[in-house]
Amino acid sequence: MMNEIDQQIVQRAAQGDKQAFRLIVLHYATAVNRLAYRYTADASYAEDIAQETFIKAFQAINRYQANAKFSTWLLRITTNSAIDYLRKSNRLLADSLDTEDLQQDIPDHGINTEDHLDLNQRLSQAMSDLSDVERLAVTMKHHQGYSINETAQVLNIKSNACKQTIFRAVQKLRKQLTTGANV
Amino acid sequence: MKHIDDEKLLMVYLGEASQEETDAVLQSKQACEQLDQLEADMQAIENASNAHNQNPLPADYGQQLWHQIADQLESPAENKVSWWHKLQSYMLQPHYSLASFVLVAGLVMVAFWAGRQQVNGGIDGQLQEQLLAQNIQLHLTQSEIFLTQVSNGNGTSTMQSTAQRLLTSNRIFKQALANYEGQFTQQILKNLEPVLLEYANNPANQIHGQQPAANWVNNSTSNDLMFQIKTMKKQLAEKNDII
């Protein structure tokens, strides 16, 4: 559970107080970067997305409604920023759903026992090897708690396609667990 | 287990299956065991993602991020306030009201002065002088022809009206020249005026065949006047300059 910032600081920031917004950045910077990294599996992308998220947040903060958690609102901006960023960065996203390469399995890192990759490393590598849309879908659904319909809507794909994408991603990740158990 | 069952199981785990589907899955012992395994796997995946962070961040990452974006932050409130509203709020502040009044009065004065300048300077001064010079040249030519005709005794019944027209033009040009420094041109028009006036005021029959009392042909200054007109015409034709 994320520790929420004082609501008064948010209110001051909403009135244009940059020092109050600085406190918000200090409070949530790591969480925003980590989520951006989950979505992209790229440290450089995560850094750019974090910057973009806070710039957008400052511009929109007077529209934030206090009945929702501020972290939920901010991480939604992070999600949207990540999707926009991946779309802009020529990494095939929603359009790539029907392409065959997405059906390819993740390289089985567990087979190569000489690498001595532990389970966490292999799972992390497997996460990186997912396609962007798979990583986005499974992170949004499993980590961020979006519904299938919300995830589909944000990714601009059909609901059934979204279910299949998440299922495929989970299968790939679980395969690493199974391989790890067999090693 | 079949592929479709795995997908259904995942939807149950994710809370996306209908109540009926969920109930059906939970009735099967094998399905429950599979669901437990799925939950454990998903938890392991989550733990792995949290534990093995390939993107370690420095302790002062928030501060670094703030330095990177601080200059780019533009408040929506600042954006929404238009320049007009800023000016309006400035004007309405009591301690600036007198200054605002002075500012507005100053702007009105400047606008008035600029407007006058635009009217006066609308036509370039030099061009205006050239146009006047050309018109005076034409007037002097017509006057010379007129005077030559009357001196040769070739006056017609229209001579009086011609003299009246020339007299009117002469007075207009004389008035126009009052704004210029050139004295010579103005002097010629002054000399020409009494001659034209005399012919303009005499009946046609008097002009025709009988010279007016102030017959300018016999006047000692007539030759000088004709000479002045010719010289001035030449000057105006060559230089377009009022002297």
Side-chain angles (χ1 to χ4, degrees), chain A residues 18 22 26 33-34 37-38 43 47 51 55 59 120-121 123-124 141-143 147-148 167 174, chain B residues 3 6-7 13-14 16 38 41 46 48 50 52-55 61-63 65-66 68 72-73 76:
Chain A
K18 287 189 180 176
R22 177 177 163 271
L26 296 181
N33 186 295
R34 291 233 162 102
Y37 183 77
R38 273 178 186 268
E47 177 63 37
Q51 290 183 21
I55 290 169
Q59 287 170 344
N120 287 347
Q121 281 178 316
L123 278 171
S124 184
K141 176 61 195 166
H142 183 53
H143 187 262
S147 71
I148 293 280
F167 175 67
R174 289 186 80 191
Chain B
H3 179 85
D6 280 348
E7 190 172 343
Y13 168 74
L14 294 174
E16 292 286 342
L38 174 62
D41 288 352
E46 181 65 17
N50 291 334
H52 187 75
N53 192 343
Q54 288 185 329
N55 185 28
Y61 172 67
Q63 193 65 36
L65 182 62
W66 170 252
Q68 284 163 346
Q72 301 174 52
L73 296 180

Side-chain angles (χ1 to χ4, degrees), chain B residues 28-232:
Chain B
S28 162
K29 186 184 176 187
Q30 189 186 6
C32 284
E33 287 173 357
Q34 287 179 328
L35 195 60
D36 288 344
Q37 183 61 48
L38 174 62
E39 191 172 354
D41 288 352
M42 295 301 284
Q43 192 58 51
I45 291 168
E46 181 65 17
N47 290 343
S49 299
N50 291 334
H52 187 75
N53 192 343
Q54 288 185 329
N55 185 28
L57 297 172
D60 64 340
Y61 172 67
Q63 193 65 36
Q64 289 179 19
L65 182 62
W66 170 252
H67 286 308
Q68 284 163 346
I69 65 168
D71 294 339
Q72 301 174 52
L73 296 180
E74 199 172 346
S75 167
E78 289 172 15
N79 289 338
K80 284 180 182 174
V81 178
S82 67
W83 64 271
W84 171 246
H85 286 104
K86 284 179 184 172
L87 182 65
Q88 202 174 23
S89 59
Y90 171 82
M91 293 285 192
L92 292 176
Q93 286 181 29
H95 53 288
Y96 288 132
S97 58
L98 180 61
S100 303
F101 174 77
V102 172
L103 177 68
V104 170
L107 285 172
V108 170
M109 292 292 287
V110 167
F112 177 73
W113 179 80
R116 282 187 62 85
Q117 287 296 107
Q118 198 171 5
V119 170
N120 292 337
I123 301 173
D124 185 73
Q126 195 176 357
L127 178 65
Q128 203 172 20
E129 186 177 348
Q130 287 176 354
L131 285 172
L132 182 61
Q134 286 176 2
N135 280 303
I136 291 174
Q137 186 194 351
L138 185 64
H139 169 68
L140 291 176
T141 303
Q142 290 173 343
S143 300
E144 186 188 15
I145 293 169
F146 172 75
L147 294 177
T148 306
Q149 283 176 338
V150 295
S151 65
N152 292 340
N154 296 330
T156 63
S157 58
T158 59
M159 281 299 173
Q160 188 181 18
S161 60
T162 304
Q164 288 170 347
R165 182 174 55 78
L166 288 171
L167 180 64
T168 306
S169 300
N170 199 74
R171 284 172 174 166
I172 290 170
F173 288 128
K174 210 174 71 174
Q175 198 173 356
L177 284 173
N179 294 327
Y180 291 88
E181 291 179 358
Q183 297 296 316
F184 292 104
T185 313
Q186 201 170 3
Q187 189 58 49
I188 290 172
L189 296 181
K190 278 182 183 171
N191 294 341
L192 183 58
E193 188 171 345
V195 180
L196 292 173
L197 182 63
E198 190 163 1
Y199 282 103
N201 290 335
N202 282 295
N205 57 355
Q206 242 182 343
I207 295 173
H208 185 65
Q210 187 183 352
Q211 297 299 333
N215 188 344
W216 84 282
V217 177
N218 297 325
N219 192 302
S220 58
T221 59
S222 61
N223 289 334
D224 288 340
L225 183 58
M226 282 296 276
F227 176 75
Q228 286 172 10
I229 289 174
K230 287 177 190 294
T231 307
M232 184 55 67

Side-chain angles (χ1 to χ4, degrees), chain A residues 96-135:
Chain A
S96 64
L97 273 175
D98 298 327
T99 57
E100 207 164 313
D101 61 312
L102 289 183
Q103 308 303 326
Q104 292 174 355
D105 283 341
I106 292 171
D108 195 343
H109 300 290
I111 292 173
N112 187 359
T113 53
E114 291 176 4
D115 289 345
H116 299 292
L117 295 171
D118 66 9
L119 180 64
N120 287 347
Q121 281 178 316
R122 279 188 287 107
L123 278 171
S124 184
Q125 184 61 47
M127 204 69 175
S128 301
D129 290 341
L130 293 177
S131 72
D132 286 337
V133 72
E134 286 172 343
R135 198 182 316 102

